[in-house]
Amino acid sequence: GSESKECTAQEATGTSGKDEGAQQAPAPRPLDVTRILTPKDFERIKRLRQLQAEQAGGGNKRTAKRKAEMAEAEADEEARAGLALEGEAVDPMDIKGVVARKAASREEKLASTLAGREDRPKFGRRKKVKTGGSTNKEKKKSQPFMMARKSSGVKRKVKRRDENKRKKQRTQKKQFRGKVR
């Protein structure tokens, strides 16, 4: 089932409400009430509870030793990842995100944009270095108009245009219903 994501300060720090007799551990740091707990925080709380239960229950030495090594390895991983310790406040910029970006000044926005561009290559197609002479399209553009006017392609276009025009006029005559004036 799903666990409840609500947590008190005592549960987060892994202490029980009872005094443990003569052993007085240093007072745990108070958990910041305004802090939002992440899934990693809940995992850490769960692990601390398990460690407490193992220490209190005793059990098999070999399994206890192995579990302690695993917990130590996970703690090292977290330390390397630079995760926040219990009681540390969350950076407000992590929570605000888009709103903070909108409120940021033009210079800040520009700086973050330029920083993001450093790693990636430019967008767009790479232009090919052209070798050889001009293409047929380029030649057609530089061709004298009076010469191009007589070409078969242009004559075909003109003929098609005139034909379509006549066809359109015929259909308009057939569809006409009404007075001329």
Side-chain angles (χ1 to χ4, degrees):
S2 64
E3 289 184 9
S4 172
K5 296 233 175 184
E6 294 179 18
C7 178
T8 64
Q10 289 177 347
E11 290 172 341
T13 55
T15 59
S16 62
K18 303 167 193 166
D19 285 334
E20 295 174 9
Q23 286 184 335
Q24 275 294 328
R29 287 185 288 171
L31 184 67
D32 189 2
V33 180
T34 60
R35 180 171 178 235
I36 298 170
L37 296 177
T38 63
K40 289 180 182 176
D41 292 328
F42 287 108
E43 280 180 38
R44 193 178 299 122
I45 292 166
K46 192 175 177 182
R47 234 187 350 266
L48 287 170
R49 283 185 188 155
Q50 286 175 349
L51 284 172
Q52 249 183 355
E54 288 170 10
Q55 289 170 358
N60 191 350
K61 287 181 182 177
R62 195 180 290 173
T63 55
K65 187 177 177 183
R66 189 177 70 231
K67 285 181 181 179
E69 286 174 1
M70 286 175 60
E72 199 174 300
E74 285 178 2
D76 290 344
E77 265 182 45
E78 285 180 3
R80 269 187 265 121
L83 296 174
L85 298 172
E86 282 113 16
E88 282 189 17
V90 176
D91 183 23
M93 289 299 283
D94 291 342
I95 298 169
K96 287 183 183 176
V98 177
V99 178
R101 174 114 174 107
K102 282 182 183 176
S105 68
R106 184 179 184 281
E107 291 78 24
E108 290 171 347
K109 288 179 185 178
L110 189 64
S112 69
T113 304
L114 292 174
R117 283 185 192 170
E118 289 173 357
D119 301 345
R120 67 165 177 76
K122 294 262 186 196
F123 288 124
R125 238 192 269 168
R126 275 178 264 129
K127 296 208 174 191
K128 292 181 181 175
V129 178
K130 202 170 129 280
T131 57
S134 57
T135 64
N136 288 340
K137 279 187 181 180
E138 289 171 346
K139 288 176 191 169
K140 224 174 218 180
K141 284 179 185 176
S142 64
Q143 191 177 22
F145 176 72
M146 295 309 283
M147 191 176 131
R149 210 172 81 168
K150 301 285 185 181
S151 71
S152 60
V154 173
K155 283 182 184 176
R156 215 177 307 127
K157 260 190 203 174
V158 171
K159 198 174 185 183
R160 195 179 329 123
R161 185 189 64 208
D162 291 343
E163 204 174 295
N164 285 341
K165 194 176 181 183
R166 281 194 299 275
K167 196 186 263 185
K168 197 175 183 182
Q169 285 174 343
R170 257 185 265 132
T171 55
Q172 282 177 350
K173 273 185 187 175
K174 286 179 187 175
Q175 292 175 353
F176 178 71
R177 296 187 192 112
K179 298 179 183 174
V180 176
R181 286 192 188 181

